[in-house]
Amino acid sequence: LAKNDHTSAKNRAAQVAGNTDVMRSMMSWEKGMAFFECRRYGLAANLFDRTYKLEPKFSEALVNAAQASLMDYYDKLPVGVQEKWFIPDFGPMLTDNPGGNRGEAVFSEEDRQRFAAAMKRITAAKDKRPTDARVLEMETLATVLGPDSSKDSLIKAGDTLTALTKTGSTAD
């Protein structure tokens, strides 16, 4: 018989049963995932933050909060800005938008605040999981999506994404 590295469902349930914070954390996680799937990224990010606050060992919640926050920022940008940019896949690469280029985008104060919130969450995730592939990709993607990114930083970000795709990163 092969050794099973995972704790049985019965043992996991017993560990959780006596810890209300872990139970609440798991419920926040599940709600966050549901809101994420429904593209309610701001709510999802807040629920993932709550998940981590209730159970600090659950650092994956920081990563999900960062991703949801970055997606919330991008999703709420004006359509005109989105059409001139790359279309983020939030996977290993970006797909080029054949309809135009970055151009001279105008960002509102709310756009900048959402971007700052996303960067704060990305930084928190990177502090806890510095080699996590998703965190490194999000950090690089944020450079591409940032309201004040320069041409040089965009080129460097593209090179970084290409390198991450080719070599892969170690996930924590």
Side-chain angles (χ1 to χ4, degrees), residues 1-146:
L1 290 172
K3 181 182 176 210
N4 186 350
D5 290 337
H6 296 307
T7 306
S8 73
K10 191 176 191 179
N11 287 340
R12 284 194 307 266
Q15 291 171 353
V16 171
N19 191 334
T20 56
D21 284 345
V22 172
M23 289 176 63
R24 287 186 183 122
S25 176
M26 290 173 62
M27 290 187 320
S28 289
W29 172 267
E30 291 301 324
K31 288 178 190 174
M33 293 300 290
F35 279 112
F36 190 91
E37 291 298 319
C38 295
R39 298 180 65 99
R40 301 288 307 271
Y41 300 123
L43 291 171
N46 291 336
L47 285 162
F48 293 133
D49 285 342
R50 183 172 189 266
T51 298
Y52 180 74
K53 184 177 178 184
L54 288 167
E55 183 48 62
K57 293 178 188 174
F58 200 0
S59 61
E60 183 73 13
L62 288 175
V63 178
N64 280 18
Q67 183 175 0
S69 190
L70 187 59
M71 292 176 82
D72 183 59
Y73 159 73
Y74 182 80
D75 246 20
K76 292 179 179 173
L77 287 174
V79 173
V81 172
Q82 290 180 357
E83 288 175 350
K84 291 181 180 181
W85 277 13
F86 291 101
I87 301 169
D89 182 21
F90 291 97
M93 292 296 293
L94 297 173
T95 56
D96 192 15
N97 180 351
N101 57 32
R102 189 173 174 95
E104 294 297 320
V106 177
F107 296 89
S108 70
E109 184 58 31
E110 291 82 13
D111 296 334
R112 291 179 182 282
Q113 289 171 357
R114 280 193 309 279
F115 183 74
M119 289 307 302
K120 183 177 178 182
R121 285 180 170 123
I122 290 169
T123 299
K126 189 171 182 184
D127 287 347
K128 274 293 193 192
R129 300 174 67 131
T131 60
D132 186 287
R134 283 179 58 211
V135 175
L136 296 173
E137 288 173 1
M138 275 187 283
E139 182 181 50
T140 305
L141 186 57
T143 300
V144 173
L145 298 175

